[in-house]
Amino acid sequence: MNVIEKLNSIKTGEITAKENVESFIKVIDENNEEINAFLELNKENALKQAKAIDEKIANGKKVGSLAGLVFGVKANINVEDLIVSAASKTLENYIGSYNASVVEKIIAEDGIIIGLLNMDEFAAGSSTETSYFGPTQNPAAIGRIPGGSSGGSAAAIAAKMCDISIGSDTGGSIRNPASHCGVIGFKPTYGAVSRQGLLDLSMSLDQIGPLANDVSGIALALNTIVDYDETECTTLNWDKPDFTSVIEDNSLENMKIAICKEFIDVTDDEINKTVNKAINKLVDGGAELVEVSFDYIDLCLPTYYLINYVEFFSATRKYDGRDYGYRIEEVCGDEVLRRIKIGSHIAQAEFSGKYYKQALKARSVIRNEINSMLENVDLIVGPTVPKLPHKIGEKLTPMEMYAYDILTVIANLAGIPAGSIKAGEVDNIPVGLQLQAKPLDDLKIIKAMSVLQNTQ
C-alpha cells in the first residue's frame, strides 16, 4: 500500500489514524535502539491527535489532506514542546517554544508528528556520525552510514518508522541519505518551502523537503509544505502545481533528459552502470536522451564550502550560552568547530574579498552554467552520490567526507529543484538516481520519478 492509498483508507475508515500511529510506535519501539533514527518521541500527543482525527471521520466531518499520516521531523526544525537539539550538546535542553511553518502546515492538514530525527550535528556532515547522540544505522545496509545530514530522516523511512519524514538540504542533505538508504528524497526549488523555524546551516543554500518510500508520499507532502510564507523573506509567491496530478503517469513523451559526462567521470563505475539502467527506463518511458557538458565541476565543492563556512559562522553567533543552551564552541564536535573557525577566519575583513566574495561570484558562474544546460532540456539525470557509503566508524579525512557532496551541491548553489530515487543496488547497497530541473519545474521531477516507479 503506498502513502496515498493508506491516506484514502484512513479517510474511508478502513484503517484508523490511531492504528496507523500505533503500528509505527511498535516498529520504533522494536528497532530504534539499533537504528537510532529518532531522538525525541511524541507518542502521547500523536495518539491524542489520531483520536481526534478518527472522531472527525466517524462524525462525517471534513479532515485535512494528510489525515492520519505519520511524520518524523529532522531535529533542526522547531516542534513545540520537543527538544530541538540539532543533534548537539549545545541545545540538548532546548525545548521548542513554537512550530516551524512546515510543521504548522502539516498539523493543519491533520498530519501527525511522531517525533524528531537524528542528524549530523547542526547539519554539518554527510554521514550522521557527528551527532552528539551517536550515529544512525543505515537500515538498507546495516553497519554502514545512512548518509547525512538528514540521516535519521532517511533511516526512519527505510526502517518503516513513519509514512513521510521532513529533512533539510543545504548541499545534498536530503538526497545523499535518500540515495544511501534506498528511499526517495526531494529538495524543492530554493524559496518554494518556508525556512521559518529551521536552525540555519547556510541561509542562502538551506531548503526543507520531504522523504518517503514512494512518490505519492513526496507529492502529498509537497502539496502541503510548498507555500508562500509572509514571515519568511526567501519564500516564493507562485502558482504552485498539484504534485499528486502526475503520480499515475507512465509516459515521458515529449520530455528531453540529459546526462552529463563530467558527473559520470567523478562517479564509481559500478554506480554508473546501475544508474544507467534507471536512465534507460526513463528512455523506455518515452524520454529523449541527450548529452550536456559542465565545465565547472571542480569549482563546485570549494565554492559551496566557502559560502557554507561563512554563513554557518554567522548563524552560530546566537549560540553564546546566554539565552539558551551552552556556548557552542565549548561543547560542539570537531566538524562543527572546524566550520566555525574557518568561517570566522574567512569572514574577517581582510579575507572576505579574497574568499567569500569570490565564492559568491563563482556561485553566479555555476548558476548561469546550470541554467544554460537546462535551457533546452527538461531534466538532468545522473548519479546522486559518486561512491558507496562507508562503514560506520571508518576514518575519513574532511576532504574525503566532502567528496560525497560533489554532485549534490550544484542544485543548492543554483537554487534549482532536485530529487533522488533508488536506481538499484551495488553490492546490496542502494544507489540513487538524481534528477535536476529548472527553478519551479519541481513537478517534472515528480513526473519522471512516478514513471520510473510505475514501470518497475
Side-chain angles (χ1 to χ4, degrees):
M1 186 189 296
N2 68 24
V3 177
I4 206 162
E5 288 167 345
K6 183 190 278 190
L7 173 69
N8 292 332
S9 294
I10 293 171
K11 286 182 173 180
T12 57
E14 198 177 319
I15 60 174
T16 65
K18 182 171 178 280
E19 285 169 344
N20 193 35
V21 171
E22 285 175 340
S23 70
F24 284 124
I25 288 174
K26 185 172 185 289
V27 174
I28 292 166
D29 284 348
E30 287 174 359
N31 300 326
N32 194 56
E33 190 175 338
E34 180 190 13
I35 302 297
N36 197 25
F38 279 93
L39 297 180
E40 277 281 289
L41 284 171
N42 195 26
K43 294 180 188 177
E44 197 177 317
N45 237 14
L47 288 166
K48 188 176 167 186
Q49 206 180 339
K51 186 183 174 192
I53 292 164
D54 288 333
E55 284 174 2
K56 278 200 280 189
I57 291 168
N59 294 325
K61 292 182 180 175
K62 188 174 184 292
V63 288
S65 62
L66 300 171
L69 294 180
V70 173
F71 284 73
V73 176
K74 189 175 180 179
N76 61 345
I77 297 170
N78 269 276
V79 177
E80 191 173 7
D81 296 331
L82 294 184
I83 294 175
V84 184
S85 65
S88 177
K89 182 175 175 59
T90 311
L91 298 175
E92 66 176 342
N93 299 313
Y94 169 57
I95 298 173
S97 58
Y98 69 99
N99 286 324
S101 286
V102 289
V103 173
E104 282 292 340
K105 290 178 188 303
I106 289 165
I107 293 170
E109 292 296 338
D110 287 327
I112 297 170
I113 308 297
I114 192 73
L116 293 180
L117 295 158
N118 205 2
M119 56 184 283
D120 279 298
E121 184 181 15
F122 282 108
S126 304
S127 69
T128 313
E129 291 175 293
T130 69
S131 169
Y132 173 64
F133 303 100
T136 295
Q137 281 279 356
N138 183 340
I142 292 293
R144 292 183 182 266
I145 61 160
S149 62
S150 306
S153 300
I157 295 297
K160 296 182 169 55
M161 293 177 172
C162 54
D163 291 305
I164 301 166
S165 67
I166 301 296
S168 65
D169 190 310
T170 308
S173 288
I174 288 172
R175 291 160 288 148
N176 166 307
S179 176
H180 289 331
C181 292
V183 304
I184 304 172
F186 192 86
K187 182 203 88 71
T189 296
Y190 182 77
V193 177
S194 173
R195 295 181 304 111
Q196 190 269 345
L198 171 72
L199 278 58
D200 289 345
L201 170 60
S202 181
M203 66 168 294
S204 72
L205 302 167
D206 294 337
Q207 188 62 89
I208 292 172
L211 298 95
N213 267 319
D214 66 83
V215 184
S216 74
I218 301 291
L220 284 167
L222 291 174
N223 274 357
T224 297
I225 66 174
V226 171
D227 203 6
Y228 174 66
D229 180 0
E230 61 183 17
T231 70
E232 208 272 272
C233 64
T234 67
T235 55
L236 304 169
N237 196 354
W238 60 301
D239 188 15
K240 71 173 187 176
D242 173 6
F243 291 98
T244 62
S245 65
V246 295
I247 60 173
E248 300 294 331
D249 285 15
N250 53 26
S251 172
L252 293 176
E253 289 292 335
N254 303 317
M255 188 176 274
K256 191 179 283 188
I257 63 174
I259 56 170
C260 179
K261 180 180 181 295
E262 288 77 12
F263 297 172
I264 294 164
D265 288 345
V266 298
T267 303
D268 291 350
D269 288 345
E270 291 303 312
I271 292 175
N272 279 324
K273 285 178 193 171
T274 304
V275 167
N276 284 342
K277 288 176 186 172
I279 293 170
N280 288 338
K281 288 177 184 174
L282 297 178
V283 174
D284 292 342
E288 179 189 348
L289 184 65
V290 299
E291 190 172 319
V292 294
S293 62
F294 180 59
D295 296 332
Y296 299 103
I297 191 81
D298 293 335
L299 194 60
C300 292
L301 279 179
T303 300
Y304 168 77
Y305 276 101
L306 280 168
I307 294 169
N308 185 302
Y309 291 149
V310 174
E311 293 186 357
F312 182 56
F313 168 69
S314 174
T316 55
R317 295 312 83 206
K318 57 182 169 284
Y319 306 123
D320 56 10
R322 287 181 291 187
D323 291 332
Y324 39 72
Y326 305 99
R327 185 167 178 268
I328 188 168
E329 288 92 337
E330 292 175 0
V331 295
C332 69
D334 291 345
E335 181 59 30
V336 167
L337 191 59
R338 178 183 295 108
R339 296 190 190 200
I340 289 171
K341 284 183 173 178
I342 297 173
S344 169
H345 184 73
I346 298 168
Q348 292 173 29
E350 64 264 39
F351 298 118
S352 180
K354 188 176 179 183
Y355 296 114
Y356 182 61
K357 287 175 185 170
Q358 290 299 317
L360 295 179
K361 288 179 186 174
R363 175 163 66 180
S364 295
V365 170
I366 292 164
R367 182 187 290 128
N368 292 339
E369 180 74 2
I370 288 292
N371 284 333
S372 75
M373 287 166 67
L374 284 162
E375 201 170 328
N376 298 311
V377 301
D378 296 290
L379 300 171
I380 298 170
V381 295
T384 307
V385 186
K387 56 183 181 174
L388 294 176
H390 62 266
K391 291 179 179 174
I392 292 172
E394 189 179 323
K395 296 298 178 191
L396 271 68
T397 67
M399 290 313 297
E400 286 172 328
M401 189 69 78
Y402 295 169
Y404 278 115
D405 302 332
I406 191 164
L407 299 173
T408 50
V409 297
I410 298 165
N412 301 81
L413 290 167
I416 61 173
S420 180
I421 185 169
K422 186 177 178 181
E425 294 183 351
V426 173
D427 298 333
N428 298 316
I429 300 166
V431 165
L433 169 74
Q434 181 172 228
L435 306 96
Q436 302 178 84
K438 297 179 186 74
L440 303 182
D441 266 358
D442 304 51
L443 188 66
K444 288 183 178 177
I445 297 175
I446 300 300
K447 180 182 173 74
M449 285 179 165
S450 297
V451 170
L452 192 60
Q453 181 179 270
N454 295 339
T455 54
Q456 281 179 348

